[in-house]
């Protein structure tokens, strides 16, 4: 069942019922100011950091669900309604939400009156804009009142939801003209305030929630709206809000628009006040006047559209498959940009108060956005690398505001270092900007320890190479990619971390997955070294990689699949002899992507086992059989009920590893099958089962052992975005950036007749047409570059600005 449809021309998802199975959100903002907005106008805004600079309140776990946000109320006679349906939930005569790229338009109609809310965060300014347009579609004149309403957060979202003894006394506002200023703590340690404004004069306002809603009221029945009259309240402590009242009369056919804004302003310390006790509003006034007309609003809209057109134009496919085109051209790339901006911080599943930027997460996210914004990818790599520790290990997370490693979480996740090689390699292949390797980068944010970036990669590689366990496989440390497989930490008491400390932390537990990574990204490291003409170092590194390949086949191979790990007692995890957790997805994907066992048959067999044991109709599960009891020696993985999260859920992040692995073996049919099974546009029809947004990936879909098999959770902020984009754009469609140019290497379903891709690469445009007359899954017969036969399938790097025509014929 669907709750809307894709509009590919406008690059929007159109939601036609407000009561979607879960709130379906969008992200507005691309630089410093962000807003999360649901299809019923729920959500919140923040500046840079969702915890420390939260502008408006949001209550996770709330009931009714998703009731705070950017609502407007319309009181038309005795009827009160919201264009977005929530929070009053008056049944609407019509409703529509269009989530587009960086904007959303939500409209409703009731009794001949329509109201449309258009939301966007303009480029280059720290504010959310909302234009409201009302139209009288009836044949009689209408007099009604309109009330916008939002609730301020007292900046630090965590403190705001816990420190009530202080916060109930600190809230402060100023009201001036059409604007309401939220200035809690501005007097002392803050130099920033928020401002809510309208471009017209209100008939009244409220800034105290008790006045507007009523002490025992609710957003569904606000006192002021019911009585039809704001009380011009000024908040002192308690709950500061911004609400206004506009009384509007419209003749038949007449329309009326209002522009509202929510801005974030910082003043320098010596320029904070206009008069004693009165905040300096000069910047706010400038911001307000910039968007005071419909023309100005439309200009901001157009700038935003142009921005997104540019971003998405670097990779554009045209095939005859609409579901594929819309994911590749629009939604998958869009989600990659959102994960770049948010990492794993703020969504409807991530509270914005917990995690910082993950070291490994951010490195993997690079795969999905480096082709869109290489300069910001460069900056991101340098930021991440400067949190690396001198021995090559890494802080697991860092804070975006300070860019410092997070001490509380610490290091010891032994896959982290290798992801830095993976991310930097992706950047080099995309840009050819070798200068990045010479950039001087701190270790542990200590300038006295700075070294060129290449030294960071070297230490990443040698950290893994020098931390091997009894079987010669890499030590797992606190955990590898699978945060919940905690082999060294025996967590016995409530509240104890699964990962951070453990009596048993020891030198024994090993990871076959990291071994696979070492081979895959170790090969990339060897290529980088060769390119730098560091031949003897390259030869040494290559020897270490080859020896690891052997070790994996010797100690990591179980007969039908790759094992997952060895635990702290040296017992196999993910092997035939295990009663549960016999086979895991991760090592099958990573080892085959690395090419381990490709020539000797193990790779082929491993992927057959994935299909045989791990496949379901909704995607590939992480392991089987699921763990049914808690196992101290395995940790958090066995704490989840069977079928959820890392305990045999369909963890979408690593489904594309299987897709990529299948293409390593030339299996185009199977690669596309694993791609499409979890692909949002392909699963749109089961939105009622899936429940999360049908235009983006979720982290997890409940696996076959779960009561809610097929139900997705944790949408938006997941490494799935980057990995699926990589799997479709490079592994399947076969347009692969390499250190020396674009490699054409498709691996597609046999019944695919062909497609074209326009790819901007290092400034030149490659218009590539692939034809598959012989219905093969893999292999190229001929490539022509501007009509001339091309030897091999590596396209040369062209001068920036040039456009070439590339004709590819697949076949034997
Ligand atoms: C989450 C984490 C990621 C981890 C994965 C598997 O997505 O963000 O770092 O690799 O879970 O546990
Ligand atoms: C929890 C989650 C896991 C995530 C980790 C991040 O363990 O279940 O998915 O990777 O937190 O630290």
């Amino acid at each position: 069942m669907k709750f809307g449809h894709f509009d590919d021309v406008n690059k929007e998802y159109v939601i036609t019922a407000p009561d979607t199975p879960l709130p379906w959100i969008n992200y507005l903002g691309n630089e410093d100011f962000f807003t999360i907005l649901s299809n019923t106008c729920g959500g919140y805004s923040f500046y840079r950091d969702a915890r420390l600079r939260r502008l408006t309140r949001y209550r996770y776990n709330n009931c009714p669900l998703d009731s705070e946000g950017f609502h407007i109320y319309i009181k038309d006679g005795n009827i009160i309604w919201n264009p977005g349906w929530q929070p009053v939930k008056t049944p609407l005569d019509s409703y529509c939400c269009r989530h587009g790229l960086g904007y959303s338009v939500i409209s409703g109609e009731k009794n001949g009156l329509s109201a449309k809310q258009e939301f966007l965060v303009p480029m280059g300014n720290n504010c959310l804009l909302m234009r409201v347009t009302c139209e009288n579609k009836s044949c009689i004149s209408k007099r009604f009142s309109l009330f916008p309403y939002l609730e301020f957060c007292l900046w630090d979202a965590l403190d705001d939801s816990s420190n009530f003894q202080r916060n109930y006394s600190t809230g402060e506002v100023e009201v001036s003209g059409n604007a309401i200023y939220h200035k809690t703590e501005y007097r002392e340690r803050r130099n920033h305030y928020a401002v809510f404004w309208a471009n017209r004069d209100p008939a009244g306002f409220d800034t105290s929630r008790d006045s507007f809603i009523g002490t025992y009221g609710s957003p569904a029945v606000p006192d002021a709206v019911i009585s039809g009259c704001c009380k011009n309240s000024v908040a002192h402590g308690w709950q500061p809000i911004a609400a206004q009242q506009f009384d509007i009369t419209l003749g038949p056919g007449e329309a009326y628009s209002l522009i509202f804004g929510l801005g974030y302003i910082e003043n320098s310390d010596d320029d904070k006040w206009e008069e004693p006790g009165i905040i300096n509003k000069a910047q706010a006034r400038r911001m307000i006047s910039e968007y005071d007309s419909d023309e100005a609003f439309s200009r901001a809209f157009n700038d935003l559209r142009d921005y997104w057109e540019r971003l998405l134009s670097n990779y554009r496919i045209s095939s005859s498959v609409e579901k594929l085109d819309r994911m590749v051209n629009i939604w998958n790339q869009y989600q990659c940009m959102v994960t770049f901006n948010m990492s794993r911080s703020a969504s409807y599943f991530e509270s914005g108060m917990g995690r910082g930027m993950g070291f490994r997460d951010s490195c993997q996210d690079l795969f999905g956005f480096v082709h869109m914004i290489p300069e910001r990818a460069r900056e991101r790599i340098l930021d991440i690398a400067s949190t690396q520790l001198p021995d090559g290990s890494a802080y697991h997370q860092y804070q975006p505001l300070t860019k410092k490693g997070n001490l509380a979480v610490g290091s010891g996740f032994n896959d982290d270092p290798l992801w830095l090689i993976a991310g930097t390699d992706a950047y080099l292949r995309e840009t050819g900007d070798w200068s990045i390797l010479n950039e001087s980068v701190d270790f542990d944010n200590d300038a006295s320890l700075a070294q060129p970036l290449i030294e960071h990669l070297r230490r990443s590689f040698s950290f893994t190479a020098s931390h091997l366990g009894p079987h010669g496989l890499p030590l797992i440390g606190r955990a590898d990619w699978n945060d919940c497989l905690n082999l060294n930490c025996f967590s016995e008491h409530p509240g104890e971390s699964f990962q951070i400390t453990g009596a048993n932390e020891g030198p024994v537990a090993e990871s076959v997955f990291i071994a696979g990574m070492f081979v895959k990204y170790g090969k990339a490291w060897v290529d980088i070294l060769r390119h730098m003409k560091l031949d003897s170092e390259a030869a040494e590194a290559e020897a270490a990689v080859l020896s690891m390949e052997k070790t994996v086949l010797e100690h990591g191979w179980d007969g039908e699949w790759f094992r997952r790990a060895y635990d702290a007692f040296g017992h196999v995890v993910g092997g035939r002899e295990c009663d549960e957790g016999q086979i895991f997805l991760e090592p099958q994907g990573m080892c085959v992507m690395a090419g381990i066992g490709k020539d000797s048959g193990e790779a082929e067999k491993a992927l057959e086992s994935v299909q045989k044991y791990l496949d379901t109709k909704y995607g590939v599960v992480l392991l089987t059989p699921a763990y049914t009891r808690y196992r101290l020696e395995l940790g958090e993985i066995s704490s989840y009920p069977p079928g959820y999260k890392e305990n045999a859920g369909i963890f979408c992040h690593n489904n594309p590893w299987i897709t990529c692995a299948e293409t390593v073996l030339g299996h185009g049919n199977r690669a596309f099958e694993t791609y499409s099974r979890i692909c949002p546009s392909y699963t749109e029809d089961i939105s009622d089962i899936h429940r999360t947004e049908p235009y983006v990936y979720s982290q997890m879909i409940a696996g076959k052992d779960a009561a809610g098999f097929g139900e997705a959770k944790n949408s938006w902020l997941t490494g799935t975005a980057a990995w699926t984009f990589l799997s479709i754009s490079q592994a399947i469609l076969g347009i692969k950036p390499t250190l020396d140019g674009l490699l054409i290497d498709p691996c597609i379903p046999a019944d695919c007749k062909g497609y074209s891709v326009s790819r901007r690469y290092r400034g030149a445009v490659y218009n590539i047409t692939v034809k598959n007359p012989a219905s093969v899954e893999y292999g190229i017969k001929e490539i022509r570059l501007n009509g001339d036969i091309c030897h091999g399938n590596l396209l040369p790097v062209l001068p920036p600005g040039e456009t070439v025509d590339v004709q590819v014929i697949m076949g034997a």
Side-chain angles (χ1 to χ4, degrees):
M1 186 183 166
K2 301 203 292 181
F3 299 82
H5 57 265
F6 287 95
D7 174 346
D8 296 334
V9 173
N10 290 304
K11 302 189 171 66
E12 293 171 338
Y13 192 81
V14 185
I15 302 167
T16 47
D19 51 343
T20 43
L22 288 168
W24 285 358
I25 67 169
N26 194 12
Y27 284 84
L28 319 184
N30 249 310
E31 294 154 325
D32 294 326
F33 190 100
F34 297 97
T35 296
I36 299 183
L37 187 75
S38 77
N39 58 308
T40 60
C41 300
Y44 59 93
S45 295
F46 59 94
Y47 172 76
R48 279 198 186 162
D49 184 313
R51 175 180 160 191
L52 298 174
R53 293 281 193 283
R54 185 80 66 102
L55 272 81
T56 62
R57 277 202 177 125
Y58 191 82
R59 293 170 187 83
Y60 287 85
N61 245 335
N62 206 354
C63 183
L65 188 61
D66 194 33
S67 40
E68 289 91 23
F70 306 91
H71 300 294
I72 59 170
Y73 296 89
I74 291 175
K75 181 174 164 62
D76 179 11
N78 287 328
I79 296 182
I80 296 173
W81 60 281
N82 314 99
W85 182 62
Q86 286 244 64
V88 180
K89 299 201 198 76
T90 302
L92 299 172
D93 298 338
S94 78
Y95 158 89
C96 177
C97 165
R98 292 179 165 267
H99 281 320
L101 305 180
Y103 70 89
S104 291
V105 180
I106 296 164
S107 37
E109 193 174 325
K110 186 76 190 168
N111 289 352
L113 183 63
S114 74
K116 176 164 81 173
Q117 287 171 272
E118 296 167 280
F119 294 93
L120 62 91
V121 171
M123 302 299 302
N125 235 328
N126 292 322
C127 61
L128 168 72
L129 300 178
M130 168 175 85
R131 174 164 67 180
V132 177
T133 310
C134 300
E135 193 181 339
N136 181 357
K137 298 191 160 170
S138 76
C139 46
I140 49 163
S141 171
K142 273 188 179 286
R143 186 176 160 69
F144 59 95
S145 298
L146 185 149
F147 304 82
Y149 166 69
L150 58 82
E151 186 173 347
F152 290 112
C153 177
L154 309 189
W155 300 117
D156 178 339
L158 189 58
D159 188 74
D160 182 70
S161 56
S162 51
N163 190 6
F164 305 110
Q165 60 81 24
R166 171 177 162 82
N167 296 342
Y168 282 173
S169 291
T170 56
E172 280 191 297
V173 297
E174 269 179 43
V175 181
S176 166
N178 305 346
I180 294 168
Y181 295 83
H182 174 231
K183 59 171 187 177
T184 301
E185 288 193 343
Y186 187 80
R187 241 178 322 146
E188 350 113 38
R189 295 166 302 173
R190 295 189 184 273
N191 61 356
H192 47 262
Y193 60 80
V195 53
F196 176 82
W197 77 86
N199 71 337
R200 298 179 188 257
D201 292 332
F205 63 87
D206 269 307
T207 67
S208 141
R209 196 183 72 191
D210 277 0
S211 283
F212 187 73
I213 300 276
T215 308
Y216 289 94
S218 104
V221 279
D223 271 3
V225 179
I226 288 180
S227 70
C229 200
C230 278
K231 297 170 196 137
N232 296 350
S233 59
V234 175
H236 298 282
W238 298 111
Q239 331 281 0
I241 60 151
Q244 292 177 325
Q245 174 175 354
F246 297 85
D247 298 326
I248 302 166
T249 306
L250 290 182
E254 268 179 6
Y256 184 84
S257 78
L258 283 146
I259 296 165
F260 297 98
L262 172 69
Y264 171 87
I265 303 286
E266 265 174 22
N267 284 332
S268 60
D269 282 345
D270 51 5
D271 206 18
K272 281 175 71 168
W273 305 101
E274 223 157 75
E275 283 169 44
I278 305 291
I279 59 177
N280 180 349
K281 306 185 183 63
Q283 289 195 69
R285 290 199 190 97
R286 267 202 298 283
M287 183 183 271
I288 293 171
S289 65
E290 220 174 300
Y291 302 107
D292 62 354
S293 66
D294 281 316
E295 294 70 47
F297 185 89
S298 303
R299 217 168 21 246
F301 218 130
N302 290 337
D303 289 349
L304 193 64
R305 281 187 190 271
D306 290 349
Y307 172 79
W308 276 106
E309 279 302 315
R310 263 200 316 281
L311 275 187
L312 298 182
S313 66
N314 293 339
Y315 195 114
R316 207 167 275 183
I317 184 181
S318 134
S319 73
S320 47
V321 187
E322 152 183 277
K323 288 181 180 167
L324 177 65
D325 289 6
R326 67 167 63 112
M327 285 315 295
V328 173
N329 293 339
I330 308 169
W331 294 100
N332 197 174
Q333 295 199 63
Y334 184 55
Q335 186 176 2
C336 287
M337 277 300 291
V338 171
T339 58
F340 163 71
N341 285 324
M342 296 290 125
S343 188
R344 306 293 174 269
S345 70
S347 73
Y348 268 24
F349 299 84
E350 301 278 9
S351 68
M353 299 185 246
R355 297 202 249 169
M357 314 272 287
F359 191 97
R360 75 158 83 88
D361 293 336
S362 296
C363 287
Q364 291 170 83
D365 289 348
L366 276 159
F367 304 160
F369 67 81
V370 64
H371 69 290
M372 288 187 265
I373 39 165
E375 56 300 332
R376 290 177 80 183
R378 188 181 210 274
E379 184 189 335
R380 180 62 60 84
I381 290 170
L382 300 177
D383 284 350
I384 299 170
S386 63
T387 68
Q388 188 179 27
L389 293 159
D391 70 351
S393 65
Y395 281 109
H396 195 45
Q397 296 176 0
Y398 71 99
Q399 296 309 125
L401 264 188
T402 60
K403 297 188 172 176
K404 292 235 160 76
N406 185 336
L407 261 180
V409 180
S411 69
F413 295 76
N414 282 357
D415 62 319
D416 276 333
L418 291 172
W419 289 117
L420 182 63
I421 299 183
T424 309
D425 175 54
Y427 174 79
L428 291 172
R429 284 186 284 117
E430 179 65 33
T431 62
D433 168 24
W434 290 86
S435 75
I436 192 174
L437 294 180
N438 300 328
E439 286 282 340
S440 170
V441 185
D442 296 353
F443 277 101
D444 197 6
N445 291 106
D446 180 344
S448 72
L449 301 175
Q451 291 284 337
L453 180 65
I454 190 166
E455 180 60 25
H456 285 252
L457 304 192
R458 182 172 287 128
R459 293 191 198 174
S460 286
F461 182 82
S462 65
F463 179 86
T464 312
S466 62
H467 287 75
L468 304 180
H471 298 91
L473 293 162
L475 292 170
I476 199 167
R478 292 193 169 143
D480 62 20
W481 172 87
N482 191 331
D483 270 335
C484 302
L485 187 61
N486 316 122
L487 304 181
N488 282 315
C489 177
F490 291 6
S491 177
E492 257 177 300
H493 305 289
E496 223 175 44
S497 165
F498 286 108
Q499 297 158 359
I500 307 292
T501 49
N504 240 68
E505 240 169 85
V508 176
E510 298 165 281
S511 164
V512 178
F513 171 78
I514 300 182
M517 275 190 86
F518 183 76
V519 174
K520 178 164 168 54
Y521 299 114
K523 286 178 180 169
W525 172 234
V526 170
D527 289 345
I528 291 172
L529 289 171
R530 290 241 156 84
H531 206 277
M532 302 283 286
K533 308 252 179 305
L534 297 167
D535 290 329
S536 67
E537 192 182 355
E540 250 173 69
E542 191 163 43
V545 166
L546 290 176
S547 134
M548 184 65 76
E549 238 178 304
K550 273 213 204 89
T551 308
V552 171
L553 291 174
E554 201 173 324
H555 297 293
W557 180 249
D558 201 63
E560 269 189 89
W561 57 76
F562 292 101
R563 293 173 173 162
R564 179 64 177 85
Y566 287 91
D567 71 14
F569 306 101
H571 298 143
V572 171
V573 179
R576 260 169 310 184
E577 70 256 51
C578 307
D579 60 335
E580 295 178 337
Q582 283 174 342
I583 167 170
F584 281 67
L585 184 162
E586 302 101 295
Q588 322 315 323
M590 194 49 83
C591 293
V592 179
M593 281 196 284
I596 304 176
K598 185 179 169 190
D599 301 326
S600 43
E602 289 87 349
E604 194 79 43
K605 202 159 218 169
L607 294 186
E608 276 166 24
S609 295
V610 168
Q611 189 162 7
K612 186 158 158 204
Y613 301 111
L614 301 177
D615 245 24
T616 77
K617 59 179 173 178
Y618 297 132
V620 185
V621 296
L622 196 68
L623 64 91
T624 204
Y627 294 109
T628 53
R629 63 180 173 81
Y630 180 53
R631 295 175 190 243
L632 204 56
E633 75 287 6
L634 300 184
E636 185 175 357
I637 192 166
S638 56
S639 77
Y640 287 114
Y644 290 102
K645 297 277 282 178
E646 281 89 340
N647 187 12
I650 297 159
F651 215 86
C652 299
H653 186 147
N654 48 27
N655 271 245
W657 298 352
I658 298 302
T659 306
C660 293
E662 292 287 0
T663 66
V664 169
L665 303 185
H667 301 158
N669 288 333
R670 174 70 180 152
F672 199 77
E673 180 181 59
T674 54
Y675 167 78
S676 54
R677 220 165 251 179
I678 63 160
C679 181
S681 61
Y682 283 80
T683 55
E684 188 197 7
D685 285 337
I686 54 158
S687 291
D688 50 331
I689 298 172
H690 231 78
R691 301 187 71 210
T692 51
E693 295 89 337
Y695 38 92
V696 292
Y697 287 94
S698 296
Q699 181 203 53
M700 196 244 354
I701 299 167
K704 57 183 159 47
D705 306 282
F709 182 34
E711 181 185 11
K713 285 187 189 134
N714 203 354
S715 54
W716 283 96
L717 304 184
T718 160
T720 315
W723 269 102
T724 48
F725 189 68
L726 190 147
S727 76
I728 187 67
S729 64
Q730 299 189 30
I732 294 179
L733 299 171
I735 321 282
K736 300 181 178 169
T738 73
L739 297 179
D740 305 305
L742 268 189
L743 188 77
I744 306 298
D745 190 26
C747 183
I748 59 176
D751 62 6
C752 167
K753 292 284 160 236
Y755 53 90
S756 333
V757 170
S758 168
R759 174 71 159 95
R760 187 174 300 118
Y761 178 65
R762 302 193 193 177
V765 176
Y766 297 73
N767 289 321
I768 304 161
T769 302
V770 176
K771 295 205 173 106
N772 186 20
S775 299
V776 299
E777 292 177 67
Y778 186 72
I780 283 176
K781 192 169 163 204
E782 179 189 290
I783 298 185
R784 280 176 189 269
L785 193 69
N786 282 340
D788 298 332
I789 291 276
C790 186
H791 299 289
N793 57 349
L794 182 67
L795 305 181
V797 176
L798 298 166
E802 212 159 289
T803 298
V804 282
D805 175 69
V806 183
Q807 296 290 331
V808 180
I809 311 239
M810 292 181 69

